Amino acid sequence: RTDRDFEDFNLKLETRVPPKGNSGVYIRGIYEVQVFDSFGKPLDPHNMGAIYSRIKPTVAAEKPAGEWQTMDITFVDRHVTVILNGKKIIDNQPIPGCTGGALWSDVTRPGPIYLQGDHTGIEYRNLMLRPVLR
């Protein structure tokens, strides 16, 4: 979890998901960007890069389990863009509400970035977080 809270930002990271791996990156402490071994599965709001149970990717861009993958997440004015492995899978979509595991329900409040750690062993590296200034 970050020490600071953020409002609008861009987060770039790399992640490696083991077979059947399941985790997430929480933005502002209330929205989960899914990190999941969904390679070869039909599009679903629980797939890799989805906003968990809220927004499904428009295309499948995940790699097989065990390969490093890149995520580029931009969050501005409660709208999210997700680029997974160089493909835009969510394009400036409003998030219709908190996802499970949210730290609180106030969607107007800035919050931390945190990596979910209650499931399988997911690896992360090269995290770069930059505030978006308006």
Side-chain angles (χ1 to χ4, degrees):
R1 170 189 167 147
T2 58
D3 291 330
R4 285 184 48 204
D5 287 346
F6 296 90
E7 190 163 347
D8 296 336
F9 59 85
N10 172 256
L11 173 64
K12 294 180 182 180
L13 62 89
E14 294 176 80
T15 185
R16 184 161 55 183
V17 183
K20 299 182 182 174
N22 182 6
S23 190
V25 175
Y26 276 80
I27 55 179
R28 285 181 60 191
I30 58 173
Y31 305 113
E32 180 183 355
V33 179
Q34 181 73 325
V35 176
F36 178 59
D37 174 22
S38 57
F39 180 77
K41 296 183 180 188
L43 289 176
D44 183 274
H46 300 96
N47 284 20
M48 179 75 164
I51 304 304
Y52 185 79
S53 76
R54 298 286 187 258
I55 303 172
K56 79 176 176 181
T58 57
V59 296
E62 57 271 76
K63 294 180 181 180
E67 292 188 27
W68 283 102
Q69 305 192 55
T70 60
M71 294 183 95
D72 183 331
I73 304 162
T74 301
F75 185 82
V76 177
D77 289 331
R78 295 185 49 221
H79 286 67
V80 66
T81 297
V82 178
I83 299 170
L84 177 62
N85 299 318
K87 293 182 183 175
K88 191 177 288 183
I89 63 170
I90 298 174
D91 188 8
N92 196 34
Q93 294 295 307
I95 302 178
C98 300
T99 60
L103 297 175
W104 49 76
S105 61
D106 181 354
V107 297
T108 64
R109 175 179 167 183
I113 309 301
Y114 72 90
L115 307 177
Q116 186 180 51
D118 64 341
H119 295 305
T120 53
I122 306 292
E123 295 176 84
Y124 294 95
R125 68 181 185 190
N126 299 324
L127 285 82
M128 185 181 334
L129 178 66
R130 295 183 179 155
V132 171
L133 305 175
R134 296 186 272 157

